[in-house]
Amino acid sequence: MKRRQFIKQGIGALATLALGEVILLTPDEAAAATRRMSEPAAPPPVPVVDYRNLKQVPSTCLNCSTVCGIVGLVQNGELVAIEGNPADPNTHGTLCAKGVGAISINTYPERLLYPLKRVGKRGEGLWQRISWDEAYATLARRIQANIDAGHPERVALHQGRSRLGAEFSRFLNAIGSPVSLNHRALCSSNKRAANYATIGDTDWETPNADKSRYILNFGSNFMECHQGSIHLARRVAQGRANNGAKLVTFDVRLSNTAGRSDEWHAPFPGTDGLIALAMGHVILEAGLHDAAFINDWVNADLAALRAFYAPYTPEWAERESGIKTADIRRIAREFAAAAPAAVAFTNRGSQAHYNGFNNDRAVILLNALVGSIGQEGGYNYMKTGLGGFGVKQPEPVPPSPKIRTDLEDPPEWPLANRWQKMRVGEIVYDYLKAGRAKLDVYLSYTLAAPLTWPEGRSLAVEVLCDETLIPFHACSDVVYSEMAHYADMILPDASYLERWGLDNRDNYEMRPYIALRQPITPPPGECVSFADVLINVGKRLGPEQARYFQFANHEEFVRQQCENIRIPGVANAFDYLKEHGLWVDTAKPTAWRTYERNIADSELAGTRSDEAGIVWRTNAQGKAVAIGLRSGDRVRRGFDTPSRKFEACNAEVAKAAAKVGIADDGWPHYVPIPSHLNLPADRLILTTFKWNVHTQARTAPQKLLSEIVHDNPLWINSATARRHALKSGDWVEVTTYRPKGHTLHPTGEMLGRQRVRVVVTEGIHPRVVAISASLGHGFSGRASEGRKGRRRANPGFASPTGNAAREDWDLAENLWWDKASGGRGNGFNLNAIIPIHPSPVTGMQSWFDTVCTVKKV
Amino acid sequence: MIPAPQWRLAVDVERCTGCHACSVACKAEFRVPLGHFRTKVYYRDVGSFPAVKRHFLPAFCMQCADAPCLKACPAKAIARGADGIVRVDQAACRSGRKHCGARCESACPYGAIATGPGKGTADKCDLCSDRLAASLLPTCVAACPTEALVFGDAADPASSLSRFLASSRGRDAVPIDRGGSPQVRYRAADPQVVARLPNGRPHDPASYEIDTWATEGQA
């Protein structure tokens, strides 16, 4: 049958997509099915807000990974505004543009409202509306068949930033699949691994910036997009205003953070670690180190440290990085002089490299050299997570599966899952194509892989389209995204403003807190939170699995999770969190210098000390675990590492490296990036970045954010541009090359070519070109596609009730950046030609190492 | 009788991270249409590699004591309240707008008042008067994560505004003065980003496109 016959025809026919009816959704063909708008093209009345009688619903933001406390102001069932929750110890009630601008997603006319099943070829865009019953039954049948066949590992759940870890692990454990995939290695696994490998307690630092006098920043753009972005930006502003703190930033690109620092230094990409090592060299050479801290708390003595640092001269660092020896010496001395109120920290600029794990360890080590770890104004950290509050999986708890596959546990990167299950997400599609694992059911959530994965619109899309590699793909999303387009079933999700969940982060005030995410308004149409979908599917599985899903809904699951939370004077923690949004446990001691804490004698019964003073206890599984460090007659907690000290040198890293054929002595040496060695003069390094108003691919449908940033030309330095006779607005063809070294497909061969507009700027290293992520959408509706006018055919239009069915006059009439009306359009996505490039041992995607050339077109 | 509060805004530009929370909070809460800004953040890159700085300027209605928009309005639809806030009477503006030629727009030296789209009447910041009446901070001030925006009653020496203006940092805060006796005070605003503020026309949405960040003069 010709597919046109399926499609509803005629004016207004698409106003309601009835159960069973079919609709075509592709960027090109949907234009032919454009709906004639029946709504008048006039501005809606601005609601008159009665501020004294608003309903205030506290919840937790998820428009980025910082998860700030929010309060939704609701009037007559409509979300009027989003404000910060004053109870949030990190934000004190403030927010960023993403936090306040998210308001438009709930009423976005292009919201998905009904479950859909694919009726054409995969990726063709032909969909039929189905009932939730059919969706649940199909999913349950398909998953059950894999369980029954003895292959639960053929069911994979691949999530982006969901903050639904407990829900998802319960589901996978219940069905017996270990294949829980994520995006951590595309984000931060080197940084997290570096913290675990040195400090051990946690994966993310909380710099005490408000009390600091010197803030040394390697590659974090915390004024725009760091995890904990505004928490830190706020405190850096306080530190600078109140203590005159100096902010020094190393970044290849003039981010807002770099542009507002007291000093911006642009090193050659991937040399941050070498610069930090040279600073350490200067500090030791000048005797500016903290000998007592090193003696008490570093797992290497001064002589060993001196020997390690000896070759790392500032002169060497200057040759590789371009940063002047005099600057390195001066900054090192200033940093040490300000200690212990001095902090050096990192983020993607330093860690998203082939050598990023060592770069970050080298930076963290600077804090140990000057003794600023755990000190006021220094490098601080605290254990976070929900477990400390008594949050548990409701009984009965499904056991973890004992099987493994190469998808979630690739043996080539032995530290990827060592401290937490960080995975190596970027290799998933490559491994599927190579037959390293077999899948039947692929559940995707908050992922947008075609836009956000390296080789996204190339390899990821190729694999997503291949029904032999991914026989069945169900995607939960709030909009018809590029990921949904390649699915077999679309499950319309609730936005984060419409669903439940527990959450928390580090608290810059150093006390643990716990936060609730709850619906501020109900989801529109037939949208169902993916957490509820999993419960509903779980109930339809066999009795062995269904027993784990005896909850009325996700709300009840979260309520049960809260049963053991004890809030003094409060009968029911869940009700308290519903009312207040979050709770800070002020009875807990603040987490300063936790390594110095004494372990009480009463807790030492049954322990033993070895000759190094390490105190061991045998745990319930019969395994000896180091718990503290004896010093005289006291036992102190120390660091949560095998030596209970700060690990300058990590024996486990050496062992892991040896396992995959890499020589490594466990010290955070500078490792030159193989692809950058002997780089021909015409080769540049392509780097990527995020804007302050966007996260990866999920903010572009929010019109107030895309209005600020919708275009992302390629940044090119003015001197480099002159050589290529380029001016802003010109077009270039970018050619990229695969990496070399100990990585995936280390061929150095050409990967691909793509055309892009340039912006000429002084704010970038002459050997670097930069393009942002987050833009260049081909799907997800008008705000992200940069298209003014009538909305296209979309199943989301069909709702007879609910805000999302309403047309948005703004998108129809005022979307001024539409290229067709003289605007800049919606930008570019270059991920198709950015190679999959896991860094050795940890597997972090080396986003910022891509070798390329540019040619004017 | 209790004297009317004197609501004033001050901006410690050095603390601003250019995050757009102020401008987006305003647009979200008041449904300001795409293409229009009551409050807008300007960027300006200055210098040559590697000595480059980025300057920000969150631009607000200056709530002028001698407001040019007010004086220009033939319908007398704009008034300054006893609390120092310059407001547009929408009904008066609606009845007078056919023949006024949007004189308020061309009179404003700060780009802070605009007519339309849609409703056609003049639209500007009124320091969230409805929120103030309910004892809430203006939405931009409430959102600002780095405490760059300071708001309060200038007549009350204990207000955050008065305390800021009396502090060593706040003493440097001065109006951006293009006439009209503007009342918003800015600390450490760089003249090169100030020069980007439009004069005699409303904020142009395209003035934030990235290739304009290094351009001189009015956006």
Side-chain angles (χ1 to χ4, degrees), chain A residues 674-724:
Chain A
S675 330
H676 296 182
L677 290 172
N678 307 314
L679 201 64
D682 69 326
R683 301 281 163 110
L684 303 171
I685 310 300
L686 173 64
T687 197
T688 65
F689 65 95
K690 275 193 258 184
W691 304 95
N692 47 13
V693 295
H694 285 298
T695 56
Q696 288 295 2
R698 287 192 274 148
T699 45
Q702 298 169 27
K703 65 178 181 181
L704 297 176
L705 303 180
S706 277
E707 179 177 36
I708 308 282
V709 176
H710 37 262
D711 184 25
N712 61 337
L714 183 79
W715 294 35
I716 188 164
N717 177 280
S718 58
T720 315
R722 260 196 308 281
R723 272 207 306 284
H724 289 84

Side-chain angles (χ1 to χ4, degrees), chain A residues 8-214:
Chain A
K8 298 193 77 178
Q9 302 281 327
I11 295 167
L14 290 166
T16 53
L17 184 70
L19 201 62
E21 285 184 331
V22 171
I23 197 160
L24 179 69
L25 291 168
T26 67
D28 299 330
E29 296 194 53
T34 293
R35 176 183 182 209
R36 308 276 164 86
M37 250 179 33
S38 53
E39 298 95 329
V46 178
V48 178
V49 179
D50 177 3
Y51 286 97
R52 292 180 191 281
N53 293 300
L54 286 172
K55 192 172 136 200
Q56 301 196 17
V57 186
S59 188
T60 305
C61 190
L62 194 53
N63 230 9
C64 88
S65 67
T66 296
V67 300
C68 301
I70 55 174
V71 179
L73 306 182
V74 179
Q75 177 170 280
N76 302 325
E78 193 183 347
L79 179 57
V80 172
I82 302 168
E83 297 195 329
N85 183 350
D88 186 319
N90 280 316
T91 64
H92 291 264
T94 63
L95 276 182
C96 74
K98 296 184 287 282
V100 294
I103 184 169
S104 69
I105 197 62
N106 279 18
T107 53
Y108 191 44
E110 277 94 329
R111 280 286 294 270
L112 291 163
L113 296 179
Y114 302 110
L116 300 168
K117 92 174 168 195
R118 174 172 70 85
V119 286
K121 280 189 285 206
R122 191 183 281 172
E124 189 181 24
L126 200 58
W127 298 94
Q128 183 178 37
R129 182 180 159 187
I130 57 171
S131 68
W132 272 111
D133 265 346
E134 183 181 344
Y136 293 144
T138 307
L139 284 163
R141 199 167 49 239
R142 194 100 196 194
I143 291 167
Q144 190 68 52
N146 286 283
I147 298 170
D148 293 346
H151 285 297
E153 80 286 358
R154 292 185 182 168
V155 180
L157 199 160
H158 200 170
Q159 54 159 322
R161 185 186 58 251
S162 71
R163 311 301 287 163
L164 290 167
E167 290 82 346
F168 293 176
S169 64
R170 185 180 188 90
F171 185 80
L172 287 172
N173 290 351
I175 65 173
S177 171
V179 191
S180 168
L181 306 172
N182 61 12
H183 75 297
R184 182 139 285 178
L186 284 82
C187 168
S188 51
S189 56
N190 270 341
K191 176 177 175 67
R192 293 175 198 267
N195 272 303
Y196 282 126
T198 50
I199 284 167
D201 286 67
T202 186
D203 58 351
W204 207 269
E205 73 286 348
T206 47
N208 188 217
D210 48 322
K211 294 290 190 308
S212 192
R213 292 195 296 123
Y214 208 89

Side-chain angles (χ1 to χ4, degrees), chain A residues 143-413:
Chain A
I143 291 167
Q144 190 68 52
N146 286 283
I147 298 170
D148 293 346
H151 285 297
E153 80 286 358
R154 292 185 182 168
V155 180
L157 199 160
H158 200 170
Q159 54 159 322
R161 185 186 58 251
S162 71
R163 311 301 287 163
L164 290 167
E167 290 82 346
F168 293 176
S169 64
R170 185 180 188 90
F171 185 80
L172 287 172
N173 290 351
I175 65 173
S177 171
V179 191
S180 168
L181 306 172
N182 61 12
H183 75 297
R184 182 139 285 178
L186 284 82
C187 168
S188 51
S189 56
N190 270 341
K191 176 177 175 67
R192 293 175 198 267
N195 272 303
Y196 282 126
T198 50
I199 284 167
D201 286 67
T202 186
D203 58 351
W204 207 269
E205 73 286 348
T206 47
N208 188 217
D210 48 322
K211 294 290 190 308
S212 192
R213 292 195 296 123
Y214 208 89
I215 301 162
L216 186 49
N217 165 30
F218 286 92
S220 164
N221 182 12
F222 60 85
M223 290 187 190
E224 300 192 70
C225 58
H226 187 85
Q227 180 173 300
S229 160
I230 69 168
H231 308 172
L232 182 54
R234 176 182 177 83
R235 284 164 178 83
V236 170
Q238 290 167 349
R240 297 176 88 185
N242 302 339
N243 327 325
K246 185 166 181 176
L247 173 61
V248 177
T249 293
F250 288 81
D251 197 324
V252 297
R253 184 186 70 92
L254 190 83
S255 65
N256 281 3
T257 309
R260 291 310 298 165
S261 292
D262 296 291
E263 292 182 27
W264 169 48
H265 298 277
F268 191 85
T271 59
D272 308 67
L274 180 57
I275 295 163
L277 292 173
M279 288 179 179
H281 175 102
V282 172
I283 288 166
L284 287 175
E285 186 184 61
L288 300 172
H289 56 277
D290 182 336
F293 181 84
I294 291 170
N295 182 60
D296 292 350
W297 293 115
V298 176
N299 77 334
D301 63 17
L302 201 52
L305 284 165
R306 284 192 200 283
F308 165 64
Y309 274 103
Y312 292 109
T313 61
E315 290 74 18
W316 180 16
E318 177 174 342
R319 282 197 301 279
E320 296 279 312
S321 70
I323 305 302
K324 296 269 174 284
T325 299
D327 285 331
I328 294 172
R329 288 190 180 281
R330 178 180 52 78
I331 294 166
R333 285 171 171 277
E334 288 174 2
F335 176 74
V343 54
F345 62 92
T346 66
N347 205 347
R348 207 168 294 175
S350 61
Q351 59 116 0
H353 293 285
Y354 185 87
N355 55 9
F357 178 48
N358 280 9
N359 288 344
D360 275 36
R361 287 162 71 208
V363 174
I364 300 168
L365 186 50
L366 280 176
N367 299 287
L369 286 187
V370 301
S372 81
I373 307 260
Q375 299 285 356
E376 188 171 280
Y379 192 92
N380 281 278
Y381 56 91
M382 62 185 289
K383 278 191 189 281
T384 53
L386 303 169
F389 288 90
V391 174
K392 286 193 189 124
Q393 282 283 357
E395 296 289 338
V397 182
S400 307
K402 298 282 180 272
I403 49 176
R404 56 160 293 281
T405 81
D406 284 356
L407 272 193
E408 85 287 351
D409 188 22
E412 292 86 348
W413 294 279

Side-chain angles (χ1 to χ4, degrees), chain A residues 51-52 79-80 83 94-95 97 234 238 254 256 259-261 692 707-708 710 715 762 764 766 810 816 824, chain B residues 17-19 27 29 31 34-35 43 47-49 53-54 56 131 133 143-145 147 205 208-211:
Chain A
Y51 286 97
R52 292 180 191 281
L79 179 57
V80 172
E83 297 195 329
T94 63
L95 276 182
R234 176 182 177 83
Q238 290 167 349
L254 190 83
N256 281 3
R260 291 310 298 165
S261 292
N692 47 13
E707 179 177 36
I708 308 282
H710 37 262
W715 294 35
E762 299 295 325
I764 194 164
D810 237 3
W816 54 270
R824 296 289 165 82
Chain B
T17 61
C19 81
K27 292 203 63 163
E29 189 147 345
R31 308 292 191 264
L34 294 177
Y43 278 34
S48 302
F49 181 85
K53 277 262 176 268
R54 179 162 298 151
F56 305 125
R131 289 176 59 105
C144 179
E147 303 159 290
Y208 184 74
E209 299 293 13
I210 181 174
D211 48 272

